[in-house]
Amino acid sequence: MDVSIVILFILIIFIILLIISRIRIVPQANVYVVERLGSFYQAWDTGLHFLVPFIDRVAKRVSIKEQVVDFKPQAVITKDNVTMQIDTVVFFQITNSVQYTYGVEHPIAAIENLTATTLRNIIGELELDATLTSRDLINSRITETLDKATDRWGIKVIRVELKNILPPTEIRDAMEKQMKAEREKREKILRAQGEKEYQTTIAQGEKDAKVLRAEADKQAAILKAEADKQAVILRGEAIKEQKQQIAQGEAEAIEVVQAALAESLKKLNMANPNEAVLQLKALEAFEKAADGKATKIIIPSEIQGLAGLASGIKESIVTNDVDSTETTTAKSAE
């Protein structure tokens, strides 16, 4: 084989490999900072790109995803001269890959040192108790300070969290004793409040029971009085109805007597009685009038004469009866 052909073949393969090696595929959420002849050329986003051989190079591969950095504990001193260890966590995102590449030499170390100095400044203004109870305030102040400082580096500080706050051992022991005493105090207070509420509930229950009993007695008295009233009314109605029935019976009896009397007078009138019969009826009427409780009776002159007539009639009737008896006896003897 000719040497020139071999060299040409090798040259072609070299060129192909060189072209392939200069092809760059930028992944999602990444930015490639490209330099040409040692100076910034372009910032490549996601996609297929080609580097000019021997001229272009990728200076930095930058991830634009949100990142989390956990810094080691920092020694800080509070306003009341208590030394403690605070562990911080920083959430940040690169918003400008060019500034991030050329703005600072070691951005993560810069953020760590800036976080430590800012934390010391903030904690130095607070006492121990305020430090332990002001996490949100410290987080917001550190976040605001770091965001302003890292803006020129193309970094956006999203959030800073105090992961751990570690006071000295003697302080922790004192705090534990204090917390224990506080818990015992709260326990006693709660127990006293519970006893108070218990006694109050019992007293309120007894009060309500007495009120209910009094109300029940009142209702019972009212119902009894109402029942007695109804009984009296019903008794009066019964007596009234009884008297009305008696009066009605007497009235009906009088009407019957009067009707009978009128009927007898009517029949008597139809019979056309003589003077003797009328006088006899008058005598009977006088007999009924004299049957009362009156101590004095005035007898009319007509009735006196009629009395003699009645006596004569009576004697004649008796005589006739005797004669009839004798006649009947004689017939029996025969």
Side-chain angles (χ1 to χ4, degrees):
M1 181 180 293
D2 192 358
V3 178
S4 60
I5 295 176
V6 174
I7 294 174
L8 180 60
F9 181 72
I10 294 173
L11 182 60
I12 292 173
I13 293 176
F14 176 75
I15 293 173
I16 292 174
L17 292 176
L18 181 63
I19 292 173
I20 293 174
S21 65
R22 306 308 287 176
I23 295 175
R24 296 290 183 272
I25 298 176
V26 180
Q28 182 71 34
N30 283 268
V31 176
Y32 285 6
V33 177
V34 180
E35 293 180 351
R36 175 167 289 179
L37 298 176
S39 63
F40 171 73
Y41 172 59
Q42 280 184 345
W44 287 349
D45 294 328
T46 304
L48 180 64
H49 300 276
F50 181 76
L51 290 171
V52 177
F54 310 108
I55 297 177
D56 296 340
R57 78 178 185 91
V58 177
K60 198 174 188 63
R61 294 176 175 85
V62 180
S63 174
I64 59 175
K65 294 185 292 185
E66 185 175 336
Q67 302 179 46
V68 181
V69 180
D70 187 0
F71 296 135
K72 62 182 181 180
Q74 303 290 329
V76 295
I77 301 175
T78 62
K79 187 177 180 181
D80 49 355
N81 297 323
V82 177
T83 302
M84 63 177 62
Q85 300 288 328
I86 297 180
D87 187 6
T88 55
V89 179
V90 178
F91 299 82
F92 70 93
Q93 184 178 17
I94 298 171
T95 57
N96 192 317
S97 57
V98 177
Q99 292 180 352
Y100 178 75
T101 303
Y102 301 104
V104 63
E105 184 65 27
H106 301 287
I108 302 301
I111 293 175
E112 181 179 5
N113 292 325
L114 185 58
T115 301
T117 55
T118 305
L119 185 62
R120 290 190 182 98
N121 292 333
I122 295 174
I123 298 300
E125 298 175 357
L126 300 174
E127 295 182 353
L128 176 61
D129 294 338
T131 302
L132 297 175
T133 58
S134 304
R135 285 176 176 262
D136 292 338
L137 175 63
I138 297 173
N139 293 339
S140 61
R141 290 183 62 180
I142 294 177
T143 302
E144 182 180 358
T145 303
L146 290 181
D147 188 38
K148 290 180 180 179
T150 59
D151 185 59
R152 64 180 182 274
W153 301 338
I155 299 174
K156 172 67 176 177
V157 177
I158 299 173
R159 188 174 182 84
V160 179
E161 291 288 343
L162 300 184
K163 185 177 180 181
N164 290 315
I165 299 178
L166 302 175
T169 305
E170 59 274 11
I171 298 296
R172 290 200 299 269
D173 293 340
M175 291 174 60
E176 289 177 359
K177 292 179 181 179
Q178 181 181 0
M179 290 301 299
K180 182 179 180 181
E182 187 68 24
R183 285 193 296 269
E184 292 177 353
K185 175 183 176 182
R186 288 199 298 267
E187 181 185 2
K188 292 180 181 179
I189 292 174
L190 291 175
R191 188 180 295 111
Q193 289 179 349
E195 184 66 23
K196 177 182 177 181
E197 291 177 359
Y198 172 73
Q199 296 296 336
T200 303
T201 303
I202 292 177
Q204 186 66 32
E206 293 177 352
K207 175 183 176 182
D208 295 340
K210 290 181 180 179
V211 171
L212 292 175
R213 282 196 295 269
E215 188 68 23
D217 294 340
K218 177 182 176 182
Q219 292 296 329
I222 293 174
L223 293 175
K224 185 177 182 302
E226 189 69 23
D228 293 341
K229 177 181 177 182
Q230 293 295 330
V232 171
I233 293 174
L234 292 176
R235 191 179 296 110
E237 290 290 336
I239 295 173
K240 176 181 177 182
E241 185 176 358
Q242 181 182 7
K243 291 183 177 181
Q244 288 178 351
Q245 292 293 335
I246 293 173
Q248 185 176 1
E250 293 178 353
E252 291 177 355
I254 293 173
E255 289 180 357
V256 171
V257 171
Q258 293 295 330
L261 181 61
E263 184 67 22
S264 63
L265 293 176
K266 180 179 179 181
K267 289 181 179 181
L268 182 64
N269 189 30
M270 290 175 63
N272 194 15
N274 54 23
E275 187 65 23
V277 173
L278 292 177
Q279 290 179 358
L280 181 61
K281 290 293 183 180
L283 182 61
E284 291 177 355
F286 176 74
E287 180 181 1
K288 291 181 179 180
D291 195 20
K293 297 180 180 180
T295 56
K296 294 181 180 181
I297 299 175
I298 300 175
I299 300 175
S301 58
E302 294 86 356
I303 294 179
Q304 292 178 358
L306 185 58
L309 177 62
S311 178
I313 293 172
K314 182 177 179 181
E315 291 178 356
S316 64
I317 291 172
V318 172
T319 303
N320 291 330
D321 289 338
V322 172
D323 294 336
S324 298
T325 302
E326 290 177 354
T327 303
T328 302
T329 304
K331 287 181 178 183
S332 299
E334 291 177 0

